[in-house]
mmCIF file of all heavy atoms in Angstrom:
data_model
loop_
_atom_site.group_PDB
_atom_site.id
_atom_site.type_symbol
_atom_site.label_atom_id
_atom_site.label_comp_id
_atom_site.label_asym_id
_atom_site.label_seq_id
_atom_site.Cartn_x
_atom_site.Cartn_y
_atom_site.Cartn_z
ATOM 1 N N ALA A 299 216.863 -38.504 0.267
ATOM 2 C CA ALA A 299 217.651 -39.505 -0.458
ATOM 3 C C ALA A 299 217.009 -40.821 -0.255
ATOM 4 O O ALA A 299 216.741 -41.651 -1.266
ATOM 5 C CB ALA A 299 219.094 -39.496 -0.039
ATOM 6 N N ALA A 300 216.579 -41.180 0.983
ATOM 7 C CA ALA A 300 216.014 -42.472 1.205
ATOM 8 C C ALA A 300 214.628 -42.633 0.480
ATOM 9 O O ALA A 300 214.238 -43.641 -0.073
ATOM 10 C CB ALA A 300 215.893 -42.664 2.720
ATOM 11 N N LEU A 301 213.839 -41.514 0.603
ATOM 12 C CA LEU A 301 212.616 -41.573 -0.048
ATOM 13 C C LEU A 301 212.723 -41.659 -1.661
ATOM 14 O O LEU A 301 211.954 -42.411 -2.193
ATOM 15 C CB LEU A 301 211.806 -40.244 0.295
ATOM 16 C CG LEU A 301 211.234 -40.154 1.659
ATOM 17 C CD1 LEU A 301 210.800 -38.744 2.039
ATOM 18 C CD2 LEU A 301 210.264 -41.150 2.115
ATOM 19 N N ALA A 302 213.702 -40.978 -2.151
ATOM 20 C CA ALA A 302 213.931 -41.104 -3.628
ATOM 21 C C ALA A 302 214.295 -42.477 -3.948
ATOM 22 O O ALA A 302 213.844 -42.996 -5.026
ATOM 23 C CB ALA A 302 214.996 -40.088 -4.044
ATOM 24 N N LEU A 303 215.111 -43.150 -3.144
ATOM 25 C CA LEU A 303 215.408 -44.487 -3.390
ATOM 26 C C LEU A 303 214.240 -45.470 -3.410
ATOM 27 O O LEU A 303 214.218 -46.520 -4.058
ATOM 28 C CB LEU A 303 216.448 -44.978 -2.388
ATOM 29 C CG LEU A 303 217.859 -44.422 -2.435
ATOM 30 C CD1 LEU A 303 218.667 -44.857 -1.210
ATOM 31 C CD2 LEU A 303 218.586 -44.916 -3.724
ATOM 32 N N GLN A 304 213.184 -45.071 -2.664
ATOM 33 C CA GLN A 304 212.017 -45.899 -2.611
ATOM 34 C C GLN A 304 210.955 -45.400 -3.581
ATOM 35 O O GLN A 304 209.821 -45.950 -3.624
ATOM 36 C CB GLN A 304 211.438 -45.842 -1.173
ATOM 37 C CG GLN A 304 212.323 -46.636 -0.093
ATOM 38 C CD GLN A 304 211.680 -46.591 1.250
ATOM 39 O OE1 GLN A 304 211.189 -45.721 1.699
ATOM 40 N NE2 GLN A 304 211.646 -47.804 1.793
ATOM 41 N N GLY A 305 211.271 -44.434 -4.413
ATOM 42 C CA GLY A 305 210.290 -43.970 -5.419
ATOM 43 C C GLY A 305 209.165 -43.111 -4.815
ATOM 44 O O GLY A 305 208.050 -42.968 -5.439
ATOM 45 N N LEU A 306 209.374 -42.495 -3.641
ATOM 46 C CA LEU A 306 208.311 -41.687 -2.939
ATOM 47 C C LEU A 306 208.674 -40.169 -3.181
ATOM 48 O O LEU A 306 209.787 -39.859 -3.411
ATOM 49 C CB LEU A 306 208.372 -42.053 -1.489
ATOM 50 C CG LEU A 306 207.878 -43.467 -1.106
ATOM 51 C CD1 LEU A 306 208.145 -43.833 0.343
ATOM 52 C CD2 LEU A 306 206.275 -43.502 -1.302
ATOM 53 N N PRO A 307 207.629 -39.275 -3.030
ATOM 54 C CA PRO A 307 207.840 -38.020 -3.208
ATOM 55 C C PRO A 307 208.760 -37.312 -2.277
ATOM 56 O O PRO A 307 208.731 -37.550 -1.064
ATOM 57 C CB PRO A 307 206.457 -37.410 -3.086
ATOM 58 C CG PRO A 307 205.499 -38.450 -3.305
ATOM 59 C CD PRO A 307 206.240 -39.674 -2.728
ATOM 60 N N ALA A 308 209.771 -36.554 -2.790
ATOM 61 C CA ALA A 308 210.769 -35.902 -1.991
ATOM 62 C C ALA A 308 211.235 -34.530 -2.695
ATOM 63 O O ALA A 308 211.043 -33.505 -2.229
ATOM 64 C CB ALA A 308 211.911 -36.817 -1.558
ATOM 65 N N GLY A 309 211.960 -34.867 -3.865
ATOM 66 C CA GLY A 309 212.451 -33.734 -4.615
ATOM 67 C C GLY A 309 213.713 -33.247 -4.069
ATOM 68 O O GLY A 309 214.331 -33.728 -3.107
ATOM 69 N N PRO A 310 214.169 -32.106 -4.622
ATOM 70 C CA PRO A 310 215.473 -31.460 -4.170
ATOM 71 C C PRO A 310 215.329 -30.785 -2.813
ATOM 72 O O PRO A 310 214.248 -30.753 -2.212
ATOM 73 C CB PRO A 310 215.702 -30.498 -5.324
ATOM 74 C CG PRO A 310 214.362 -30.036 -5.814
ATOM 75 C CD PRO A 310 213.523 -31.295 -5.620
ATOM 76 N N LEU A 311 216.442 -30.319 -2.361
ATOM 77 C CA LEU A 311 216.542 -29.571 -1.166
ATOM 78 C C LEU A 311 216.771 -28.085 -1.488
ATOM 79 O O LEU A 311 217.237 -27.745 -2.529
ATOM 80 C CB LEU A 311 217.656 -30.088 -0.203
ATOM 81 C CG LEU A 311 217.458 -31.520 0.231
ATOM 82 C CD1 LEU A 311 218.565 -32.349 -0.490
ATOM 83 C CD2 LEU A 311 217.652 -31.587 1.707
ATOM 84 N N ARG A 312 216.317 -27.227 -0.600
ATOM 85 C CA ARG A 312 216.691 -25.764 -0.694
ATOM 86 C C ARG A 312 217.955 -25.394 0.036
ATOM 87 O O ARG A 312 218.158 -25.863 1.137
ATOM 88 C CB ARG A 312 215.555 -24.974 -0.155
ATOM 89 C CG ARG A 312 214.243 -24.975 -1.018
ATOM 90 C CD ARG A 312 213.127 -24.084 -0.580
ATOM 91 N NE ARG A 312 212.016 -24.144 -1.441
ATOM 92 C CZ ARG A 312 210.786 -23.567 -1.229
ATOM 93 N NH1 ARG A 312 210.644 -22.850 -0.196
ATOM 94 N NH2 ARG A 312 209.830 -23.610 -2.115
ATOM 95 N N LEU A 313 218.819 -24.632 -0.656
ATOM 96 C CA LEU A 313 220.041 -24.187 -0.003
ATOM 97 C C LEU A 313 219.690 -23.480 1.309
ATOM 98 O O LEU A 313 218.673 -22.811 1.427
ATOM 99 C CB LEU A 313 220.797 -23.238 -0.933
ATOM 100 C CG LEU A 313 221.474 -23.950 -2.183
ATOM 101 C CD1 LEU A 313 221.863 -22.862 -3.154
ATOM 102 C CD2 LEU A 313 222.612 -24.823 -1.781
ATOM 103 N N PRO A 314 220.515 -23.720 2.303
ATOM 104 C CA PRO A 314 221.854 -24.252 2.231
ATOM 105 C C PRO A 314 222.036 -25.769 2.385
ATOM 106 O O PRO A 314 223.205 -26.272 2.407
ATOM 107 C CB PRO A 314 222.557 -23.589 3.489
ATOM 108 C CG PRO A 314 221.388 -23.557 4.474
ATOM 109 C CD PRO A 314 220.292 -23.098 3.567
ATOM 110 N N LEU A 315 220.922 -26.474 2.322
ATOM 111 C CA LEU A 315 221.040 -27.945 2.346
ATOM 112 C C LEU A 315 221.286 -28.386 0.869
ATOM 113 O O LEU A 315 220.814 -27.760 -0.114
ATOM 114 C CB LEU A 315 219.741 -28.613 2.811
ATOM 115 C CG LEU A 315 219.386 -28.289 4.249
ATOM 116 C CD1 LEU A 315 218.105 -29.036 4.722
ATOM 117 C CD2 LEU A 315 220.547 -28.578 5.213
ATOM 118 N N VAL A 316 222.015 -29.570 0.737
ATOM 119 C CA VAL A 316 222.379 -30.059 -0.587
ATOM 120 C C VAL A 316 222.148 -31.518 -0.641
ATOM 121 O O VAL A 316 222.023 -32.143 0.486
ATOM 122 C CB VAL A 316 223.838 -29.743 -0.889
ATOM 123 C CG1 VAL A 316 224.113 -28.259 -1.025
ATOM 124 C CG2 VAL A 316 224.805 -30.418 0.177
ATOM 125 N N GLY A 317 222.072 -32.093 -1.805
ATOM 126 C CA GLY A 317 221.819 -33.508 -1.923
ATOM 127 C C GLY A 317 223.067 -34.338 -1.553
ATOM 128 O O GLY A 317 224.239 -33.765 -1.405
ATOM 129 N N LEU A 318 222.872 -35.636 -1.287
ATOM 130 C CA LEU A 318 223.958 -36.431 -0.903
ATOM 131 C C LEU A 318 224.977 -36.676 -1.969
ATOM 132 O O LEU A 318 224.586 -36.653 -3.217
ATOM 133 C CB LEU A 318 223.518 -37.842 -0.434
ATOM 134 C CG LEU A 318 222.556 -37.867 0.818
ATOM 135 C CD1 LEU A 318 222.404 -39.343 1.273
ATOM 136 C CD2 LEU A 318 223.042 -37.089 1.976
ATOM 137 N N THR A 319 226.250 -36.905 -1.692
ATOM 138 C CA THR A 319 227.213 -37.355 -2.659
ATOM 139 C C THR A 319 226.884 -38.761 -3.109
ATOM 140 O O THR A 319 226.175 -39.532 -2.363
ATOM 141 C CB THR A 319 228.687 -37.155 -2.134
ATOM 142 O OG1 THR A 319 228.813 -38.107 -1.022
ATOM 143 C CG2 THR A 319 228.924 -35.847 -1.669
ATOM 144 N N ASP A 320 227.565 -39.196 -4.158
ATOM 145 C CA ASP A 320 227.388 -40.604 -4.459
ATOM 146 C C ASP A 320 227.846 -41.584 -3.434
ATOM 147 O O ASP A 320 227.263 -42.574 -3.141
ATOM 148 C CB ASP A 320 228.137 -40.945 -5.835
ATOM 149 C CG ASP A 320 227.499 -40.252 -7.030
ATOM 150 O OD1 ASP A 320 226.443 -39.795 -6.887
ATOM 151 O OD2 ASP A 320 228.257 -40.110 -7.999
ATOM 152 N N GLU A 321 228.950 -41.190 -2.717
ATOM 153 C CA GLU A 321 229.462 -42.006 -1.715
ATOM 154 C C GLU A 321 228.515 -42.021 -0.552
ATOM 155 O O GLU A 321 228.302 -43.158 0.106
ATOM 156 C CB GLU A 321 230.864 -41.485 -1.230
ATOM 157 C CG GLU A 321 231.965 -41.675 -2.272
ATOM 158 C CD GLU A 321 231.904 -40.542 -3.426
ATOM 159 O OE1 GLU A 321 231.098 -39.609 -3.304
ATOM 160 O OE2 GLU A 321 232.610 -40.698 -4.356
ATOM 161 N N GLU A 322 227.929 -40.933 -0.162
ATOM 162 C CA GLU A 322 227.028 -40.870 0.903
ATOM 163 C C GLU A 322 225.755 -41.694 0.629
ATOM 164 O O GLU A 322 225.194 -42.394 1.495
ATOM 165 C CB GLU A 322 226.632 -39.404 1.285
ATOM 166 C CG GLU A 322 227.730 -38.649 1.891
ATOM 167 C CD GLU A 322 227.489 -37.146 2.021
ATOM 168 O OE1 GLU A 322 226.703 -36.670 1.172
ATOM 169 O OE2 GLU A 322 228.008 -36.545 2.928
#
Side-chain angles (χ1 to χ4, degrees):
L301 291 171
L303 289 170
Q304 294 186 309
L306 292 166
L311 299 108
R312 289 183 177 175
L313 286 170
L315 300 183
V316 295
L318 298 189
T319 65
D320 291 344
E321 292 78 9
E322 289 170 333

